[in-house]
């Protein structure tokens, strides 16, 4: 019964402390400093035990008229009060900032990066960090005076689309463990979860001949060489030219450049996929194809509903395509 | 093996456990003074075992091993104390519990249990000792316990033990003022909450004055420097020769010893008339296992002591209803001028005339011979003259006396101390037909010039006589004063020649008592006494009455306008210092930067810096903006360029103050 009551109390506390937060429901964009209004503190079970101890000490002192007993009781009581301030200070005035935004495929873990900055002269120890609702926090960090620390918080993903992480709880019991100070942080930035690439998908839908042959289909007219750019496929490197130039003499990587015939280009069109397939499966297959084409450095055009991207290649093109796939059929957000 | 163990730093949990063991030893060590030897040894063995387990990484013993040991220890406590419930038995059980709990620690919860038990054991030590040393030990023990508790909280790198001790010390330092304030302000309750079961076993009390006085049976009076009580007079301390602290009245003599005749009546009827100037004082009585309350001759009223009931006997002895095992304090008014039983006749004088049959024939004859003097006062004076003029000698090491002790003392050995003189005097008076009795108590006392308290020690114990004279009542007569006036005028040390240290005469000057009044040793002794007395008055015996007094004086101080003025100006100064400190804390460059951002935002809303915009991006946006005049724009861009270079470059020698000056001049060009 008692346990159930406590759980109920904890639950009530968790629900209600959120309400006191400044700008309830608002997300914490940019840097957030854990001000006095954001830090909550309550005694732990050990703290309640300590209170009982204080009561026993006081009763013993009164009953046996121990002058020094009173001194000890009040010293212990004051230490308890000082611990409350120290625990609060161990968490308060930490600055929080969100790090890089994760981009993952459904089924992978999205890792949110949280940076903690301690601008005070007080070293912070044993700050536990994890998402709300997790019973035993998984990460504990120390932040030196004037130092920073970073934590990667992993969230498993299942569905494509935007992933809004749950609020993060930062808590500490340092130094004596008699109190638990905690604060909430609601990361504003979301993670974009791409559809899961289909496994065992059919080969790329090459139009015309030599589909999936591994040759550079649609790129038959050699149009000279250009300097290497990041993202160029190793297969396109002009090895003969590279071998002729000694890197010591200013030689560099060069890439063969082709003028592709438009009729031969690779088009990834959602509409051409069989309609009897599930939408998610079709998106999944499109994702796989985008990744494959990118891996093989094939320029590809992309059609998804009303969206039309011309044939291209590279990180930005891939990101645009994947984002479109991730958000297909969802409200623009 | 041992060196190998300590060659590299211990793993963290082992170091923490050893720290906990050390703290427990610190807490348990003072208890060995009163615990039975086997308990101390068992605890030491248990802690050593735990240390061994920790260092060698062995497994903890199972409950099957621990339970029989614990049961055996309980049986041992029952055997040693004949109970499991008394105070001392309870302390022994707790000590054993802490030791055994060390072997049964599995979760973090157990750590708290051990530490909290240790806190309680620090308290139980105060049953046995409450001196300043104990208090210091308490602070050290609390510091050790805090440091241990802190050590268990770290999750990452653990700072050095020194750093952890410093953190614990800082917590204590912050806690101390609050603790002191609470100590004095927290409302105190008088008396115990429940009647305490007998302390069981060894009593902490010290015996005070004996209720039996047998001159001649003791060859060496122990000169204990233990304080018996301390007195603070309202006004000047009376002359030392007036300081007769009345205790017991011994009225029955069986030939060998003077004792109190009969038990104490619950309420005596005393015919006491006082006059003259009153002497007011406050007396703090050290704990003892007796019931005697000492007052200056003659008390004008019954002492009022919280938690005790005081009563008076028909011989004017003051007692409480139960032993004074606590230190008590009472305010008294005494009158040096008085008449006790001043009627023309005593109701039953035979009580004070009785003499044992067949003892001291010579003294009896001498007393009878005194009867030829008509005036009782002359009889008294004759005996006193005898003591003064004949070769009587005051010594603390008198020879032992035989069956006719008074005869032997008066006519053969002629040396003794107050007990001999008062006993012999009362014997002679009774033989001479004057009602007489022996009064014991203390005489004199040492005034501490530092705090004005008069300390009366056990070595100030004294015995004198009272004789009844028709019309004048009971008159105090101190026959010892006739022999050794120094004993009464100054103190015992002055009256007695102390043996030289090691029997070497040249070392006599080294003796503490021989030292002059102004010597360093005496000053040191006075200082120590004052500290100890302050400790007793303000820490150990801080009663509700004393608290009320303190609060009253505090209130009158707080209500004073001068205090209010000082306090408010101090608060103002603190506030100003804080603002100044805060201002200095922010970097001057950052301060100028935030001024620039504010001013740009003020000039045009579109120019406000976005929260996520860095100085470089901001500069680019401003350079492209049309809202600013070209010179202002250039100044702002230059400002941001310099700021960005400073902010994101590695640490450089250019002081932030100089850069701030440059930036300020750029800022001034911004219109």
């Amino acid at each position: 019964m008692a346990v159930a009551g406590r759980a109920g109390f904890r639950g009530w506390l968790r629900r209600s402390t959120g309400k006191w937060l400044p700008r309830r429901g608002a997300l914490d964009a940019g840097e957030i400093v854990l001000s006095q209004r954001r830090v909550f503190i309550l005694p732990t079970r050990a703290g309640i035990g300590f209170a009982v101890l204080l009561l026993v000490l006081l009763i013993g002192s009164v009953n046996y008229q121990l002058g020094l007993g009173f001194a000890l009781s009040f010293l212990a009581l004051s230490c308890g009060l000082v611990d409350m301030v120290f625990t609060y200070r161990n968490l308060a005035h930490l600055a929080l900032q969100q790090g890089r935004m994760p981009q993952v495929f459904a089924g992978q873990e999205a890792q949110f990066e949280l940076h903690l900055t301690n601008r005070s002269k007080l070293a912070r120890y044993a700050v536990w960090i994890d998402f709300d609702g997790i019973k035993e926090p998984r990460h504990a960090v120390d932040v030196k005076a004037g130092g920073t620390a970073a934590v990667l918080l992993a969230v498993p993903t299942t569905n494509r689309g935007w992933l809004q992480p749950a609020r993060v709880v930062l808590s500490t019991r340092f130094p004596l463990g008699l109190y638990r100070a905690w604060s909430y942080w609601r990361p504003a930035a979301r993670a974009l979860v791409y559809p899961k690439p289909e496994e065992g998908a059919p080969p790329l839908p090459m139009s015309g001949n030599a589909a999936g042959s591994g040759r550079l289909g649609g790129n038959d007219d050699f149009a000279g060489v250009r300097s290497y750019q990041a993202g160029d496929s190793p297969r396109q490197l002009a090895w003969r030219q590279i071998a002729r130039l000694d890197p010591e003499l200013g030689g560099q990587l060069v890439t063969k450049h082709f003028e592709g015939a438009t009729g031969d280009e690779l088009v990834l069109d959602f509409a051409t996929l069989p309609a009897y397939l599930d939408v998610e499966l079709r998106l999944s297959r499109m994702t796989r194809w985008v990744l494959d084409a990118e891996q093989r450095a094939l320029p590809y055009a992309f059609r998804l509903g009303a969206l039309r991207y011309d044939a291209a290649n590279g990180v930005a093109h891939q990101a645009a395509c994947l984002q479109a796939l991730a958000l297909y059929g969802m409200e623009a957000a | 093996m041992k060196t190998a163990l300590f060659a590299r730093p211990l793993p963290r949990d082992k170091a923490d456990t050893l720290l906990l063991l050390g703290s427990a030893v610190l807490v348990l060590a003072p208890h060995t003074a009163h615990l039975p030897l086997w308990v101390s040894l068992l605890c030491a063995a248990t802690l050593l075992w735990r240390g061994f387990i920790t260092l060698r990484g062995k497994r903890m013993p199972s409950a099957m091993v621990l339970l029989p040991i614990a049961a055996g220890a309980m049986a041992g406590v029952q055997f040693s104390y004949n109970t499991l419930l008394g105070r001392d038995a309870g302390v022994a059980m707790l000590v054993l519990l802490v030791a055994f709990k060390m072997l049964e620690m599995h979760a973090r919860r157990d750590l708290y249990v051990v530490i909290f038990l240790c806190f309680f054991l620090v308290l139980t030590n105060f049953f046995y000792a409450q001196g300043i040393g104990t208090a210091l030990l308490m602070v050290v023990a609390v510091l050790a316990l805090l440091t241990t508790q802190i050590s268990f909280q770290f999750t990452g790198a653990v700072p050095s033990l020194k750093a952890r001790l410093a953190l614990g010390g800082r917590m204590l330092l912050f806690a101390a003022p609050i603790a002191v304030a609470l100590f004095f302000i927290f409302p105190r309750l008088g008396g115990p909450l429940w009647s305490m079961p007998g302390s069981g076993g060894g009593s902490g009390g010290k015996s005070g004055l004996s209720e039996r006085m047998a001159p001649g049976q003791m060859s060496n009076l122990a000169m204990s420097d233990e304080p018996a009580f301390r007195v603070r007079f309202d006004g000047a301390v009376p002359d030392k020769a007036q300081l007769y602290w009345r205790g017991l009245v011994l009225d029955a003599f069986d030939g060998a010893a003077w004792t109190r005749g009969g038990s104490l009546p619950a309420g005596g009827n005393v015919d006491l008339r006082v006059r003259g100037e009153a002497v007011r004082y406050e007396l703090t009585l050290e704990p003892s296992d007796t019931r005697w309350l000492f007052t200056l001759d003659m008390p004008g009223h019954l002492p009022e002591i919280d938690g005790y009931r005081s009563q008076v006997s028909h011989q004017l002895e003051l007692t409480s209803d139960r032993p004074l095992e606590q230190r008590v304090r009472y305010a008294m008014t005494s009158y040096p001028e008085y008449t006790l039983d001043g009627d023309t006749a005593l109701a039953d004088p035979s009580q004070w005339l009785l003499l044992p049959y067949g003892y001291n024939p010579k003294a009896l004859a001498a007393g009878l011979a005194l009867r030829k003097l008509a005036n009782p006062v002359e009889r008294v004076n004759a005996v006193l003259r005898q003591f003064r003029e004949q070769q009587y000698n005051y010594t603390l090491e008198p020879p032992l006396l035989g069956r006719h002790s008074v005869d032997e003392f008066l006519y053969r050995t002629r040396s003794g101390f107050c007990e001999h003189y008062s006993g012999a005097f009362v014997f002679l008076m009774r033989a001479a037909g004057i009602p007489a009795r022996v009064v014991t108590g203390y005489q004199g006392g040492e005034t501490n010039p530092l705090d004005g308290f008069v300390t009366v020690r056990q070595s100030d114990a004294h015995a004198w006589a009272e004789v009844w004279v028709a019309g004048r009542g009971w008159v105090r007569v101190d026959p010892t004063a006739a022999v050794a006036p120094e004993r009464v005028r100054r103190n015992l040390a002055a009256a007695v020649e102390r043996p030289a240290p090691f029997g070497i005469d040249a070392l006599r000057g080294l003796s503490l008592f021989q030292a002059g009044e102004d010597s360093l040793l005496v000053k040191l002794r006075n200082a120590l006494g004052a500290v100890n007395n302050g400790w007793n008055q303000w820490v150990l015996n801080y009663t509700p009455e004393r608290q009320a007094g303190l609060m009253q004086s505090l209130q009158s101080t707080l209500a004073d306008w001068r205090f209010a003025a000082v306090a408010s100006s101090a608060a103002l100064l603190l506030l100003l210092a804080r603002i100044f400190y805060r201002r200095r804390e922010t970097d001057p460059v950052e301060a100028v930067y935030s001024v620039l951002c504010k001013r740009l935002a003020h000039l045009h809303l579109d120019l406000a810096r976005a929260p996520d915009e860095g100085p470089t991006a901001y500069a680019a946006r401003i350079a492209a903006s049309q809202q600013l005049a070209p010179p202002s724009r250039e100044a702002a861009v230059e400002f941001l360029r310099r700021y960005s270079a400073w902010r994101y470059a590695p640490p450089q020698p250019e002081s932030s103050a100089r850069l701030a000056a440059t930036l300020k001049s750029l800022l001034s060009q911004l219109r």
Side-chain angles (χ1 to χ4, degrees):
Chain A
M1 278 312 283
V3 174
R6 188 153 50 228
F9 174 69
R10 286 258 166 93
W12 167 81
L13 197 67
R14 189 151 285 178
R15 285 190 300 277
S16 54
T17 46
K19 291 180 191 164
W20 312 335
L21 267 173
R23 296 181 289 121
R24 175 191 166 199
L27 302 174
D28 298 331
E31 189 183 80
I32 289 299
V33 176
L34 296 181
S35 61
Q36 194 181 345
R37 293 186 60 196
R38 300 183 70 111
V39 178
F40 310 100
I41 189 163
L42 270 184
T44 56
R45 216 175 298 178
I48 293 167
F50 190 71
V52 173
L53 167 77
L54 287 178
L55 201 64
V56 171
L57 286 180
L58 197 62
I59 289 174
S61 306
V62 169
N63 202 49
Y64 290 96
Q65 295 287 304
L66 298 171
L68 265 188
F70 281 108
L72 175 69
S73 313
F74 296 135
L75 188 64
L77 172 64
S78 313
C79 283
L81 294 178
V82 169
D83 180 49
M84 180 161 66
V85 177
F86 272 50
T87 306
Y88 160 75
R89 286 206 313 176
N90 197 42
L91 190 61
H93 306 304
L94 273 179
L96 310 179
Q97 199 150 26
Q98 187 154 22
R100 274 169 307 160
M101 234 57 62
Q103 281 157 8
V104 294
F105 296 96
Q108 293 179 325
E109 279 195 332
Q111 295 203 311
F112 290 87
E113 199 176 23
L114 169 61
H115 290 280
L116 296 101
T117 311
N118 178 10
R119 299 211 176 86
S120 68
K121 291 173 188 156
L122 190 80
R124 316 299 179 93
Y125 293 103
V127 178
W128 290 91
I129 302 170
D130 214 330
F131 290 110
D132 201 3
I134 292 177
K135 205 169 176 202
E136 294 287 326
R138 294 166 295 178
H139 308 278
V141 292
D142 298 343
V143 197
K144 285 194 190 112
T148 57
V151 191
L152 279 177
L153 298 165
V155 189
T157 59
T158 48
N159 300 317
R160 67 189 172 88
W162 289 114
L163 174 67
Q164 183 70 55
R167 65 177 174 177
V168 174
V169 184
L170 297 97
S171 69
T172 185
R173 296 167 186 225
F174 191 82
L176 291 188
L178 304 180
Y179 301 89
R180 175 174 176 269
W182 76 98
S183 187
Y184 296 112
W185 177 65
R186 298 180 59 114
R190 307 169 290 183
L192 184 57
V193 181
Y194 303 138
K196 184 177 178 174
E198 190 190 3
E199 307 210 355
L204 287 172
M206 295 297 197
S207 58
N209 54 3
S213 68
R215 294 285 308 157
L216 306 172
N219 298 326
D220 24 43
D221 296 337
F222 179 66
V225 296
R226 58 171 171 81
S227 60
Y228 173 81
Q229 287 172 347
D232 283 349
S233 164
R235 296 182 200 180
Q236 278 178 292
L237 289 180
W239 290 110
R240 232 172 266 165
Q241 279 85 348
I242 295 167
R244 248 181 260 148
L245 293 170
D246 187 351
E248 299 282 315
L249 303 169
Q252 55 180 3
L253 295 178
V254 285
T255 308
K256 282 185 254 181
H257 186 55
F258 298 91
E259 294 280 319
T262 49
D264 249 8
E265 72 177 3
L266 171 59
V267 178
L268 305 178
D269 190 350
F270 188 72
T272 60
L273 287 173
Y276 57 84
L277 288 178
D278 181 44
V279 173
E280 291 303 318
L281 183 60
R282 277 182 276 167
L283 290 171
S284 194
R285 181 164 299 172
M286 289 284 282
T287 307
R288 166 60 65 196
W289 282 347
V290 167
L291 292 179
D292 280 355
E294 196 64 40
Q295 193 200 351
R296 291 163 58 179
L298 299 175
Y300 51 95
F302 183 81
R303 312 260 187 281
L304 180 63
L307 194 73
R308 305 175 72 85
Y309 289 141
D310 289 337
N313 213 320
V315 177
H317 183 59
Q318 179 190 1
C321 296
L322 288 178
Q323 175 162 1
L325 288 170
L327 299 178
Y328 176 73
M330 295 185 180
E331 286 173 43
Chain B
M1 199 60 216
K2 225 176 165 105
T3 49
L5 271 173
F6 287 101
R8 55 177 182 276
L10 283 166
R12 155 117 196 270
D13 54 337
K14 291 189 176 184
D16 284 351
T17 309
L18 287 187
L19 189 61
L20 180 63
L21 279 175
S23 309
V25 167
L26 205 59
V27 170
L28 295 180
H31 282 278
T32 52
H34 62 83
L35 286 174
L37 187 64
W38 70 267
V39 175
S40 305
L41 289 179
L42 184 57
C43 280
T46 312
L47 294 182
L48 278 177
W49 188 11
R50 184 68 177 92
F52 179 77
I53 288 174
T54 308
L55 282 177
R56 301 294 294 271
K58 296 272 159 93
R59 287 178 58 125
M60 297 262 228
S62 71
M64 298 302 287
V65 180
L66 279 181
L67 276 178
I69 300 180
M74 264 181 84
V77 170
Q78 169 74 37
F79 181 76
S80 288
Y81 293 93
N82 289 320
T83 175
L84 288 176
L85 296 174
R87 192 189 73 183
D88 295 339
V91 172
M93 295 274 280
L94 265 178
V95 166
L96 287 166
L97 178 64
V98 166
F100 287 144
K101 186 74 193 162
M102 290 278 181
L103 286 171
E104 202 261 310
M105 270 178 46
H106 300 294
R108 171 154 299 197
R109 194 183 55 235
D110 295 327
L111 164 85
Y112 286 113
V113 170
V114 169
I115 287 185
F116 292 173
L117 277 176
C118 281
F119 265 105
F120 193 69
L121 277 178
V122 173
L123 179 91
T124 57
N125 189 34
F126 301 150
F127 292 147
Y128 310 101
Q130 289 202 71
I132 297 177
T134 318
L136 291 178
L137 196 65
M138 168 190 89
V139 173
V140 173
V142 170
L143 177 63
L145 290 172
L146 286 183
T147 307
T148 311
Q149 208 171 335
I150 290 169
S151 298
F152 277 88
Q153 296 292 329
F154 289 100
T155 51
V158 182
S160 68
L161 180 62
K162 204 172 135 193
R164 281 175 280 155
L165 271 173
L167 178 58
R170 216 167 62 230
M171 293 191 77
L172 264 190
L173 221 60
F174 282 120
I178 312 172
V180 169
L182 277 175
F183 184 88
F184 288 111
I185 291 169
F186 188 85
R188 292 297 179 89
L189 306 168
L193 297 175
W194 64 86
S195 70
M196 282 169 282
S199 50
S203 82
K206 291 173 223 109
S207 53
L209 274 193
S210 170
E211 291 187 22
R212 184 171 182 276
M213 181 179 105
Q217 291 188 355
M218 201 168 46
S219 70
N220 195 342
L221 183 66
M223 295 225 294
S224 162
D225 270 348
E226 292 278 323
F229 50 87
R230 291 188 171 86
V231 191
R232 198 184 55 196
F233 286 95
D234 290 358
V237 179
D239 187 36
K240 213 160 232 174
Q242 294 287 323
L243 296 180
Y244 280 87
W245 305 99
R246 187 184 186 88
L248 309 64
V249 175
L250 308 178
D251 56 342
F253 186 54
D254 62 1
W258 292 88
T259 49
R260 298 193 64 261
S263 59
L264 283 174
N269 219 349
V270 182
D271 172 23
L272 175 67
R273 267 162 286 167
V274 294
R275 58 183 177 276
E277 211 173 315
V279 180
R280 284 173 224 284
Y281 54 95
E282 196 181 51
L283 194 146
T284 311
L285 192 61
E286 291 292 313
S288 73
D289 51 11
T290 62
R291 297 162 51 187
W292 304 107
L293 295 167
F294 298 93
T295 55
L296 201 60
D297 259 352
M298 282 297 183
H301 56 85
L302 282 176
E304 281 173 21
I305 308 169
D306 211 46
Y308 296 91
R309 206 161 44 80
S310 55
Q311 54 204 13
V312 63
S313 76
H314 69 296
Q315 302 195 92
L316 220 154
E317 301 152 292
L318 296 178
T319 52
S320 71
D321 55 338
R322 55 197 173 82
L324 297 149
E325 281 168 343
Q326 310 284 331
R327 192 174 280 108
V328 295
R329 179 169 40 215
Y330 46 90
M332 283 302 298
T333 311
S334 288
Y335 298 87
E337 289 178 60
Y338 60 89
T339 309
L340 181 60
D341 291 335
D343 286 346
T344 46
L346 282 170
D348 178 21
S350 65
Q351 185 190 350
W352 297 295
L353 288 168
L354 279 176
L355 285 176
Y357 179 75
Y359 286 92
N360 308 312
K362 279 196 210 166
L364 192 62
L368 288 170
L370 283 174
R371 294 200 184 200
K372 66 177 183 284
L373 296 170
N375 190 345
V377 179
E378 280 179 36
R379 297 176 207 167
V380 171
N381 285 337
V383 175
L384 290 181
R385 204 179 311 121
Q386 178 192 343
F387 283 151
R388 200 178 309 123
E389 291 173 358
Q390 297 182 21
Q391 279 296 309
Y392 282 91
N393 190 3
Y394 186 86
T395 174
L396 294 179
E397 292 167 4
L400 289 176
L401 302 174
R403 175 183 158 87
H404 301 293
S405 56
V406 178
D407 275 5
E408 285 182 40
F409 165 69
L410 280 177
Y411 305 112
R412 195 164 60 80
T413 65
R414 297 187 183 216
S415 58
F417 45 88
C418 56
E419 294 190 355
H420 300 78
Y421 288 99
S422 56
F425 178 79
V426 171
F427 188 93
L428 286 172
M429 285 300 107
R430 289 191 178 183
I434 302 175
R437 59 197 187 191
V438 176
V439 182
T440 62
Y442 296 88
Q443 205 281 320
E446 189 182 1
T447 308
N448 191 329
L450 289 181
D451 59 2
F453 275 81
V454 175
T455 305
V456 177
R457 299 173 191 283
Q458 294 297 349
S459 56
D460 290 321
H462 193 50
W464 60 92
E466 271 182 343
V467 294
W468 187 81
V469 181
R472 288 177 60 183
W474 289 100
V475 179
R476 184 177 67 222
V477 180
D478 190 353
T480 316
V483 182
E486 290 295 296
R487 166 69 183 85
V488 176
R489 271 213 318 275
R490 291 177 62 194
N491 59 14
L492 191 59
V496 189
E497 196 156 301
R498 278 227 154 185
F502 313 114
I504 304 168
D505 248 8
L507 294 179
R508 195 177 285 278
L510 292 177
S511 174
L512 190 63
F513 286 94
Q514 292 292 321
E517 296 253 323
D518 296 329
S519 81
L520 190 66
L521 277 174
V522 170
K523 279 183 187 162
L524 200 67
R525 194 172 122 121
N526 280 339
L528 273 179
V531 168
N532 222 353
N533 182 37
W535 181 255
N536 289 340
Q537 297 287 332
W538 288 101
V539 178
L540 302 188
N541 201 27
Y542 184 68
T543 54
E545 296 82 51
R546 176 140 290 206
Q547 186 173 36
L550 181 75
M551 287 303 120
Q552 223 157 35
S553 66
L554 211 63
Q555 258 173 6
S556 58
T557 315
L558 289 179
D560 195 350
W561 66 269
R562 275 167 298 190
F563 177 81
V566 168
S568 52
S569 48
L572 197 68
L573 268 177
L574 271 176
L575 197 69
L576 285 176
R578 192 182 161 83
I579 290 171
F580 182 70
Y581 184 73
R582 274 282 158 88
R583 193 163 283 177
R584 282 199 46 185
E585 226 174 4
T586 54
D587 193 279
V589 176
E590 297 289 352
V592 182
Y593 178 58
S594 82
V595 170
L596 173 94
C597 295
K598 268 185 207 154
R599 189 171 294 180
L600 283 173
H602 188 70
L603 285 171
H604 200 282
L605 210 59
D606 287 348
L607 289 178
R609 188 173 69 91
D612 56 347
E613 203 168 24
T616 316
Y618 193 29
R621 196 157 63 83
I622 286 173
S625 69
Q626 300 304 316
Q627 285 94 347
L628 276 179
S632 288
R633 198 163 59 205
E634 273 159 34
V637 171
E638 174 65 9
F639 181 108
L640 288 169
R641 191 191 63 75
R642 280 177 182 252
Y643 169 76
S644 172
W646 173 83
R647 182 76 179 80
Y648 298 107
Q652 51 208 337
E654 186 182 14
S655 79
S656 54
R658 242 175 62 199
L659 178 65
T662 317
L663 293 184
K664 267 180 195 160
S665 72
L666 281 170
L667 190 64
S668 65
Q669 297 170 26
L670 196 68
R671 304 246 181 278

